[in-house]
Amino acid sequence: MRSDQVRCGMQQAPHRSLFNALGMTEEEMKKPMVGIVSSFNEIVPGHMNLDKIVEAVKLGVAMAGGTPVVFPAIAVCDGIAMGHIGMKYSLVTRDLIADSTECMALAHQFDALVMVPNCDKNVPGLLMAAARVNIPTVFVSGGPMLAGRVKGEKRSLSSMFEAVGSYAAGTMTEEEVKEFEDHVCPTCGSCSGMYTANSMNCLTEVLGMGLRGNGTIPAVYSERIKLAKHAGMAVMEMYRKNIRPRDIMTENAFKNALTMDMALGCSTNSMLHLPAIAHEAGVDLNLDIANELSAKTPNLCHLAPAGPTYMEELNEAGGIYAVMKEISKKGLLDLSCMTVTGKTVGENIADAVNRNPEVIRPVENPYSQTGGIAILRGNLAPDSAVVKRSAVVPEMLKHEGPARVFDCEEDAIEAIKGGKIVAGDVVVIRYEGPKGGPGMREMLNPTSAIAGMGLGSSVALITDGRFSGASRGASIGHCSPEASVGGPIALVEEGDRILIDIDSHKLELKVSEEELAARRAKWQPHPPKVTEGYLARYAALVTSADKGAVLKL
């Protein structure tokens, strides 16, 4: 056992004295020591129930012959951090979470780990740590929130942000906004649509790092507690068989995840997180393959914000395994990949059943023949940009319009809510990338304002920042290279024509190369927005969005 290094032999007598101080018995010290990484806190709705999940995991580990030991991981609520300086601190926590978990796991020589995350950066951060530490590890999330109800219709957090835009447009009263405010988030859990947290929890299941139901069993269901107990038991079986994260998170497993990303219509943030996790696993995940996979992967699910269904309905329809079973009919998944069950993907999904062909469309009747995410390129984004194609209305799949240029999110929101953006415009928000932000803020406020003001089918938004999974419409993010390093988005001027052609994967600035060269010669870097603290260190080390915004060593 790895933990022998801190518990066995005369040299470790001081160590054992400290375990005695913890109240640990000799019997416990003889068993494999399993670290349970708890993301519990009292500020994130998706995490307020994790104490219950952790207790269930502890029982599972103990029942299966291990000694559970809990230590913490931080998490930011993106919704609460949205629209102010707090959003600069969201993406950057992914690396803090990975680094601190590595420190705890290796400093104390745990034999295995169970990760208990739930929200946006917390899940990928712990997946990065799992790949880096590479000891037997199982994930069990806190589960999704149930959908809210307003006037008899199911609603979620994206509805809340759009209600604020409707109020600004004068189409909703303050009392109506209050009704949304009181009812769209009715339970604990990760927000109820296919937003980033649920996307990553579902893709954890696809990667093979979580048990069946990890991504979809609602937070308030007792089935979630049973799942946590089984996760504790499963990690002990992994320990006995020496199955490790890098045995599971292989190149083909990541291709499976990208394929299912397309089928599910996940958040565009997955295009940041999957390459970063793959990087830690020693896999070079080139996003150029995303369009190749998308071209042959049908989009089978339209969950909020792309459609009217929610995570609870996906769970009832058969969950992620049922979607995988549908996609496997086209031969698009590697069914031989190993998983935390000790079985292959093919063995896991063999008995999966699609119980609702409206929530999970059969492959013969998809929402579209191509996947939910598209990677765009062109002279405006030579290193790529990302759009959630499944959440774009058909009339905006191809659009050309004048650029309305803003150097920060706040200025863009002021213009949108002030009625200065009109049908046909292409809003450009720059200097919000990984370095320029710093921290690559999500742009849910401006996208929601556009939708709430009735411009979702006529206005596009392009940024070197990123979007919440709750964003919908022609919202194109991760524009790379970013403005702060002199990417072409820094050269756009008010009124320039921009062509967006999502089906052709094009993003073009309709300006001659000669004119762009002249602008480039005059361009000067913006002074950094932050010069001290963690954000300044992050800005100095972070790479481009198309590389997953990983930190340079």
Side-chain angles (χ1 to χ4, degrees), residues 170-193:
T171 59
M172 189 175 285
T173 66
E174 186 173 347
E175 291 74 21
E176 289 172 317
V177 173
K178 183 66 164 62
E179 186 174 3
F180 273 77
E181 183 181 329
D182 290 343
H183 295 103
V184 297
C185 296
T187 72
C188 61
S190 47
C191 296
S192 56

Side-chain angles (χ1 to χ4, degrees), residues 378-526:
N379 67 346
L380 186 53
D383 290 342
S384 77
V386 181
V387 64
K388 188 170 183 176
R389 172 167 42 195
S390 59
V392 180
V393 294
E395 55 265 40
M396 289 298 290
L397 289 172
K398 186 171 184 178
H399 176 78
E400 182 175 329
R404 305 300 307 281
V405 184
F406 304 94
D407 286 351
C408 67
E409 178 188 8
E410 290 81 359
D411 289 350
I413 293 171
E414 183 180 350
I416 295 165
K417 291 186 175 179
K420 297 178 181 177
I421 302 301
V422 300
D425 284 348
V426 178
V427 176
V428 176
I429 306 177
R430 60 192 182 190
Y431 295 101
E432 292 285 7
K435 283 184 179 292
M440 204 179 183
R441 288 193 287 181
E442 286 186 343
M443 301 291 168
L444 180 56
N445 272 350
T447 59
S448 297
I450 288 169
M453 296 187 75
L455 297 171
S457 60
S458 59
V459 169
L461 195 157
I462 299 171
T463 182
D464 53 7
R466 59 194 178 91
F467 294 108
S468 164
S471 293
R472 61 188 177 97
S475 303
I476 300 164
H478 310 189
C479 193
S480 302
E482 63 177 287
S484 69
V485 298
I489 193 171
L491 309 179
V492 181
E493 294 183 358
E494 188 79 9
D496 285 347
R497 303 290 293 182
I498 293 177
L499 171 65
I500 300 163
D501 190 341
I502 294 173
D503 286 338
S504 297
H505 308 124
K506 290 182 180 178
L507 186 60
E508 296 284 347
L509 179 62
K510 308 290 278 187
V511 173
S512 70
E513 284 301 315
E514 294 78 13
E515 174 61 20
L516 286 177
R519 294 181 189 180
R520 191 172 289 111
K522 296 176 184 176
W523 178 80
Q524 294 293 323
H526 273 210

Side-chain angles (χ1 to χ4, degrees), residues 37-55:
V37 188
S38 171
S39 304
F40 169 77
N41 64 48
E42 295 183 342
I43 189 64
V44 184
H47 290 226
M48 63 180 282
N49 66 320
L50 295 190
D51 54 342
K52 310 294 189 300
I53 302 297
V54 166
E55 287 303 313

Side-chain angles (χ1 to χ4, degrees), residues 27-41:
E27 290 83 356
E28 286 175 298
M29 284 191 232
K30 292 176 182 177
K31 297 176 181 178
M33 191 163 65
V34 180
I36 301 173
V37 188
S38 171
S39 304
F40 169 77
N41 64 48

Side-chain angles (χ1 to χ4, degrees), residues 17 35 42 91 130 177 216 251 273 281 285 289 309 322 360 367 371 380 394 452 506-507 509 527 530:
S17 72
E42 295 183 342
L91 178 61
V177 173
T216 60
E251 181 177 356
H273 300 322
L285 188 63
I289 68 170
T309 53
I360 304 171
Y367 282 100
L380 186 53
K506 290 182 180 178
L507 186 60
L509 179 62
V530 179

Side-chain angles (χ1 to χ4, degrees), residues 70-322:
V70 179
F71 65 89
I74 64 170
V76 164
C77 176
D78 277 24
I80 295 174
M82 193 72 65
H84 55 90
I85 191 173
M87 183 44 69
K88 294 179 184 287
Y89 285 92
S90 173
L91 178 61
V92 304
T93 64
R94 187 184 71 179
D95 297 276
L96 282 175
I97 291 162
D99 292 348
S100 60
T101 302
E102 173 197 354
C103 291
M104 289 294 289
L106 296 183
H108 301 102
Q109 288 296 288
F110 288 103
D111 297 300
L113 296 169
V114 180
M115 307 294 198
V116 187
N118 210 28
C119 288
D120 295 28
K121 311 310 164 304
N122 189 247
V123 180
L126 290 179
L127 282 165
M128 290 165 68
R132 193 184 299 174
V133 175
N134 200 34
I135 60 177
T137 302
V138 174
F139 276 67
V140 55
S141 76
M145 184 184 291
L146 294 179
R149 285 187 179 271
V150 180
K151 291 183 171 64
E153 292 186 16
K154 286 190 175 183
R155 299 288 188 175
S156 61
L157 184 64
S158 56
S159 307
M160 184 70 254
F161 278 90
E162 290 179 15
V164 174
S166 297
Y167 175 76
T171 59
M172 189 175 285
T173 66
E174 186 173 347
E175 291 74 21
E176 289 172 317
V177 173
K178 183 66 164 62
E179 186 174 3
F180 273 77
E181 183 181 329
D182 290 343
H183 295 103
V184 297
C185 296
T187 72
C188 61
S190 47
C191 296
S192 56
M194 188 57 83
Y195 309 146
T196 304
N198 291 328
S199 294
M200 293 311 302
N201 282 324
C202 290
L203 293 179
T204 297
E205 202 173 325
V206 175
L207 278 170
M209 290 299 294
L211 298 176
R212 182 179 198 160
N214 178 73
T216 60
I217 298 172
V220 295
Y221 284 13
S222 297
E223 190 69 23
R224 176 65 56 177
I225 300 297
K226 292 166 67 176
L227 179 73
K229 292 175 184 175
H230 283 128
M233 291 184 252
V235 83
M236 292 306 301
E237 190 63 21
M238 288 182 70
Y239 168 75
R240 284 186 276 271
K241 293 180 177 178
N242 196 30
I243 300 173
R244 300 170 182 244
R246 292 194 184 193
D247 300 325
I248 296 170
M249 291 193 281
T250 61
E251 181 177 356
N252 283 347
F254 281 104
K255 288 180 179 178
N256 282 351
L258 275 175
T259 298
M260 287 299 297
D261 194 327
M262 302 300 172
L264 290 164
C266 291
S267 163
T268 53
N269 280 316
S270 61
M271 295 296 105
L272 275 178
H273 300 322
L274 287 175
I277 299 160
H279 175 75
E280 295 291 351
V283 173
D284 182 15
L285 188 63
N286 189 334
L287 287 185
D288 283 340
I289 68 170
N291 284 337
E292 296 175 29
L293 294 175
S294 179
K296 55 188 177 182
T297 305
N299 178 225
L300 305 185
C301 299
H302 262 197
L303 288 91
T309 53
Y310 294 83
M311 296 304 295
E312 62 204 69
E313 289 156 316
L314 179 58
N315 185 63
E316 291 161 9
I320 299 307
Y321 279 16

